[in-house]
Amino acid sequence: MTEIVIWVVKVVVVWGALLTTAAIMSLAERKVSAWMQYRYGPNRVGPFGVLQPVADGIKFIMKEELVPAGANRLLFRIAPALSAAPAMLAVAVIPFGYTAVIAGHEITLSVADLDIGILYILALGGLGVYGVILGGWASNSKYSLLGGLRASAQMISYELTLMLSIMAVVLMAGSLDLRQIIEGQRAFLDWNIFYQPLAFVLFTIAMFAETNRHPFDFAECEPELVGGFHTEYSSMRFALFFLGEYCAMTVMAALNTTLFWGGPSVPFWPDAPWYVGVVAFIVKTSFFLFLFIWVRWTLPRLRFDQLMRLGWQALLPLALANVMVTGAVIALTAN
Amino acid sequence: MGSLKEVAPVTSGSDPSSKSGFLATSADWLINWSRKNSLWPMPLGLSCCGIELMALLGPKFDLARFGAEAARFTPRQCDLMLVAGTLTWKMAQAARTIYDQMPDPKWVIAMGVCSSTGGMYDSYAVVQGVDSILPVDVYVPGCPPRPDAVIDAIIKLQKKIARDKPVRRLLAKSAGPEIDEGTGRLDHQPNAAVLHALADRHPHDPRAQQPIADRVPRPTPGDAAWFVGNPAVGGIAEAPARVTEALAGLDARPLPSNDGTPLFGVARERLREAFERLRRAGFDQSTFVTAVDHLHVGLPPVEPRFEVLWQFRSYHRDPGHRDASQARGDSVRLACRVRSDDAWVPTCCDLWPGANFSEREVFDMFGVRFDGHPDLRRLLMPDDYGHHPLRKDFPQQGIEPDRLYRQWDRERRARWLSGEAERLAAAGDGADQQQPDAQQPAGRRVFEYAPGAATDPREVAASLGGDDPLHGELMKLNMGPQHPATHGVLRLVMTLDGETMVDADPVVGYLHRGKEKTCETLGWHKFFPHTDRLDYVQSLGNNVGYALALEKLAGIEAPPRAQVIRVLICELSRIMAHLIYISAASIDLGAVTVFFLMFKERERLYDIMDAYTGHRMNNTYVRIGGVYADIDDRVTAAAHEFLDTFPALLAEVDKLLTRNRIWVDRNRDVGVLTAEQAIALSLTGPSLRGSGVEHDLRRAQPYSGYEQYDFDVPVGSVGDAYDRYLVRMEEMRQSVRICKQALDKLEHVKGDVLLEDHRFVLPPKGRVHESMEELIYQFKIVTDLRLPRGQAYHAVEAAKGELGFYVVSDGSSRPVRCHIRAPGLMNVQALPHISRGRLLSDMVALIGSMDFVMGEVDR
């Protein structure tokens, strides 16, 4: 009985945190960009405009929902959910802390401890693109179609780099279990960033492409494709796409923290209490979320062929070489 | 009681004893609160107001505070349509389509007088108030309104939304038959009553058209078929030897012109030969092609009625003209008169590809056909318009200007009511987003610069596709007229092979307001405010160009101090225009923050302009014979401060863009134009100099004393988008140099800023208030300014290139013709040539790099 209660509480807390993060991100995007551009950003609803996501959310729910003539109605309606659900599911295996002891119960701080956690995340990440492709195709609009096509090409290209950069970390940890990976990085000097800097850089670049974020936001690409795959979406279905995007960003930021920055490990305080670990995890993840925004409002956008060239001709060979070198070093040192 | 309840349901809704009423009220409050604080705008930035709309999003005003900065360019995600600027009947279909595509609830703000009432454009092309096609919630006066005024409108709209009862509406909807307010039932719109009331006495009503008798009897042209200038002012200009040689034996008749450009009348049969010889003689650019209608309303018909004019420039220096009159040897003008029942002339756009759009424009406006033109369609008016607006017998307010829109509207509603759209869409022939008239007239050929190249889109695609098995499946993609990257209301119909552009067909005219016609109606002086709204990002520069053309015709010159002030405001305007270029180009390529940096800087320039002229943009501060008022010390101090700190911003842009690898990759080798191509395509200004041609009118034909200033003319080496970017960046630095010199000159060049000449020049305002005679002069000049008989062309180096005014006067107070040579039109014309074979994404970079403003392109 207690087990079930703990499990339910964990689910509620983690999902709540994820959705809240997504809402905060939608505000942070506008506030941070405003600060970078000598502006204030939303500040009329609630203190510092914190209720802005609430206002946007209610407005979207109350908005008329349009399905364009000639759209494939079923797929058009399913696509946003397909886009948002995988990211929300993927968060389940992210370990956001070590083990907490509350009222005598030992609680592992993740919703589910899968021994193939990384495979699970990658599989769900691969599903996420279907929402974008189907949404683009089902809209019966050329702009949407082009956006969907671009997204599929981009995802395929960058998923390889993403997987290979993770592979190097997996080789070092000797496990696909994310908990094993953070256990291996408990001490500050054991953080993977010190052993796999190249994998970290590759992962970070692929992370931007995988979440369709600027400078790789070709599926949307406002100046060219108006809204890309979501050009024809209105009301809450449109908001779902964004919710999905922000959730995916959060998961990717958390994964980056977990793989390379020790997850909940606190530097120079190996036996920190569990809640300090959780705070450390949140701080690190927040930094990567900030990085998403920072890059978006600083850099121009690449061109699509440049993106593909970068993916196939630069990142993929580097990632392959990194895995081979890592493997060789591990094999040699093991002997 | 029952009727009272209907009228004021608030009483029952707010009754605390009724629990459902309380719930409904709370829900209403919550929904209204969310709606009013999350007004995502659809920025329908049509013209000048669009620039103020951008300023509204920028640092000083920051619409984001109201949660309303999330501008979406797809109508599906917007709540608020901000109609910013002049809506033309050609654009009306697109605007209405966008409105229909927005989901409920939706609101409309009419920003500026043009969208509120038609504003200063009482012409054949402009919708007299958008409320005749859209239900408007808030009107914002101003031309353009300051951003503060729009914020006020947003707050008013928020109050209006707060009064709404959304829950009751929801319940009513589910109970009764569905009223689809968002799909075009005009009768259900709140302003429908206004529309119907207007229908009878609308100024466009054909019954309201009365022939306007001329106040001044005009001289008949007489038996001489040519328009004779005033020998006292102009006289026959001496033509350089190569021109006389080229035209020898063609019966070319030298005619007087007021601007020193040799003008020859050539018979139609000899024109073709004249073109070819001039082309061989080194005249490699067509400056403009235009026409003059010599019909006088109220007088017997004149034949031959149309005079078609060509002006060509040579970039090959004539060795015989190395002296100061070099500039005069650079250009030659031809004229040919044709009868109205046989109105055609041979084309010259195979020799000068840049004449393509100009010839289409003459065909559109006058109905003169160009024999041999590969693609003679209308340019500015809709394809099935049916009239030629610049003919003298066409009324200023047009003949049934809304006919095409009403026809489209009827068909659209019939289709919608019969469910035909659904059936069509189900059959896979869905109406495309923002695509009011996707059909292209059959038989359009790809107009190719290089002779002998493939002209059929399929062949072009085949030549581009190589051995790709998938090539050849062509797709038409419509971009615009409302699209984030088209800088206003340009429309591009692109033929794509995958993502490769096979062909791009620019469709312009969505902002054609009939300025040239308006000038003929208003008179010389009252046209000044209209020149502001050509290239509205550099209003004062346009003023100067127009004033100089009129002064040339009048044979007067502004006093020295006025000339210095003109140089100063021209260069400040250039900086303003180039800042818009950088901001637009960067936002197109995704560097959004640069956009805001630029607007922060533009706000400082606005403050200077505001202090000097009293308005942020569209200042109208130049007059014939000088400028309206002297510049005072506070303005010069502010200008000094700006000029000292501005280069720091350019250094920051260098860091953000010039040396940014992504920016360089996106622009380098994109849209390469060789010097020869750029000249042939009639490009001028930074677009020409980017290709390495060192030609700047401030150097080549100095005006307003530019020869006294020390500045460099930057040129590019490759001719790609990156070169054009660098040229503009450097031009801003050079403008700073010129401005500083001008400010120094202002210290010691004293005196009047307005010429004392009661024939042409307004008396200073102060004296008008004191003296009866001055008041009479002021009245006469404003209403009845008569310029000497003759014709003159004057061009200035505007931010986009050669901005020229070709003015023709018959000595009366009504202008015969005022043709505006718009550099932006030529830049648009170059788009298909530089985009072929590039990726769709490059089109965005190319549009940015060609830098045009639709107000000037469409006029």
Side-chain angles (χ1 to χ4, degrees), chain A residues 2 6 53 57 70 113 118 124 146 150 158 181 199 205 207 224 226 263 271 279 290 307 310-311:
Chain A
T2 344
I6 289 173
D113 254 335
I118 285 178
L124 284 171
L146 281 173
R150 286 180 175 193
Y158 277 76
I181 290 173
I205 295 175
M207 164 176 102
E224 293 158 36
V226 188
D271 45 357
V279 171
F290 173 72
L307 166 94
L310 178 72

Side-chain angles (χ1 to χ4, degrees), chain A residues 122-139:
Chain A
L122 288 177
L124 284 171
L127 278 181
V129 70
Y130 281 98
V132 174
I133 298 172
L134 288 179
W137 181 78
S139 298

Side-chain angles (χ1 to χ4, degrees), chain B residues 529-793:
Chain B
H530 285 265
T531 61
D532 286 288
R533 289 148 182 85
L534 285 169
D535 180 358
Y536 35 75
V537 299
Q538 55 134 25
S539 314
L540 287 166
N542 306 335
N543 284 172
V544 172
Y546 180 61
L548 283 168
L550 298 189
E551 285 164 15
K552 205 177 224 180
L553 197 57
I556 56 175
E557 200 173 45
R561 187 169 170 86
Q563 296 202 2
V564 178
I565 294 178
R566 281 183 181 182
V567 168
L568 178 68
I569 57 183
C570 271
E571 293 308 314
L572 287 177
S573 304
R574 188 182 318 277
I575 294 176
M576 290 179 103
H578 284 345
L579 284 177
I580 286 278
Y581 155 74
I582 304 270
S583 58
S586 60
I587 204 169
D588 284 352
L589 295 187
V592 183
T593 296
V594 179
F595 170 87
F596 289 97
L597 288 181
M598 296 295 120
F599 263 86
K600 178 169 154 280
E601 215 61 16
R602 256 182 86 90
E603 284 298 335
R604 299 175 60 198
L605 276 167
Y606 276 145
D607 288 345
I608 296 174
M609 292 298 179
D610 205 351
Y612 176 42
T613 69
H615 202 358
R616 289 156 55 85
M617 53 189 288
N618 293 356
N619 320 70
T620 319
Y621 228 56
V622 181
R623 299 285 185 272
I624 304 172
V627 292
Y628 178 75
D630 204 349
I631 215 158
D632 77 9
D633 292 341
R634 279 172 309 162
V635 178
T636 47
H640 268 300
E641 196 205 333
F642 170 80
L643 295 172
D644 289 340
T645 49
F646 178 62
L649 174 95
L650 291 180
E652 197 170 346
V653 175
D654 272 341
K655 273 187 240 163
L656 281 166
L657 298 181
T658 315
R659 292 195 292 276
N660 182 325
R661 177 66 193 272
I662 301 179
W663 179 262
V664 175
D665 280 354
R666 285 300 305 267
N667 284 293
R668 187 171 281 174
D669 295 330
V670 173
V672 180
L673 279 169
T674 64
E676 192 197 10
Q677 284 172 325
I679 290 172
L681 284 168
S682 288
L683 294 181
T684 48
S687 308
L688 179 67
R689 289 192 286 275
S691 297
V693 182
E694 193 181 339
H695 180 81
D696 189 319
L697 288 174
R698 292 173 294 175
R699 273 280 164 73
Q701 307 171 12
Y703 51 90
S704 295
Y706 263 112
E707 66 276 6
Q708 304 157 20
Y709 296 84
D710 181 25
F711 65 98
D712 298 329
V713 177
V715 291
S717 50
V718 184
D720 54 5
Y722 191 64
D723 265 353
R724 294 191 276 273
Y725 161 77
L726 289 179
V727 164
R728 291 192 180 100
M729 284 294 283
E730 184 56 32
E731 273 188 11
M732 283 198 273
R733 294 197 180 90
Q734 296 301 329
S735 288
V736 170
R737 268 177 79 188
I738 300 173
C739 284
K740 283 187 170 167
Q741 294 171 43
L743 285 172
D744 290 344
K745 265 188 201 298
L746 278 180
E747 300 284 322
H748 56 264
V749 180
K750 299 288 180 192
D752 284 342
V753 292
L754 209 51
L755 200 66
E756 187 107 10
D757 185 333
H758 286 154
R759 292 172 302 164
F760 310 116
V761 185
L762 284 178
K765 198 72 175 178
R767 300 222 302 265
V768 172
H769 293 307
E770 295 161 3
S771 148
M772 186 68 194
E773 286 74 21
E774 304 285 3
L775 183 63
I776 292 170
Y777 283 131
Q778 147 117 356
F779 181 75
K780 287 293 284 179
I781 285 165
V782 169
T783 58
D784 204 18
L785 174 70
R786 297 178 190 205
L787 289 181
R789 221 169 155 208
Q791 50 176 326
Y793 174 75

Side-chain angles (χ1 to χ4, degrees), chain A residues 30 39-40 52 56 59 63-64 142-143 150 223-224 230-234 297 301 303 306, chain B residues 37-38 62 65 69 74 76-77 79 104-105 476 478 483 485 499 589 593 665-666 841-842 844:
Chain A
R30 292 162 81 170
R39 299 188 288 121
Y40 288 108
Q52 192 63 45
D56 287 338
K59 179 200 79 174
K63 197 96 178 138
E64 181 188 7
K142 289 167 184 173
Y143 287 113
R150 286 180 175 193
E224 293 158 36
H230 63 61
T231 304
E232 300 291 340
Y233 277 91
S234 64
W297 299 100
R301 180 185 294 109
R303 201 171 61 210
Q306 290 165 350
Chain B
N37 286 307
S38 175
D62 192 21
R65 292 175 294 148
E69 94 281 26
T74 159
R76 308 286 189 201
Q77 293 149 14
D79 313 290
D104 277 330
K476 276 243 191 298
N478 184 61
H483 187 279
E499 282 215 28
L589 295 187
T593 296
D665 280 354
R666 285 300 305 267
S841 308
D842 284 331
V844 179

Side-chain angles (χ1 to χ4, degrees), chain B residues 407-424:
Chain B
Q407 190 183 329
W408 171 82
D409 195 44
R410 268 196 305 278
E411 285 165 10
R412 177 184 64 111
R413 272 192 263 177
R415 224 181 15 244
W416 177 71
L417 288 173
S418 68
E420 190 195 343
E422 293 283 313
R423 283 201 302 278
L424 274 178

Side-chain angles (χ1 to χ4, degrees), chain B residues 345-364:
Chain B
V345 285
T347 183
C348 68
C349 71
D350 50 339
L351 300 167
W352 291 279
N356 180 10
F357 272 25
S358 308
E359 291 188 350
R360 280 176 60 189
E361 186 189 329
V362 173
F363 164 66
D364 186 1

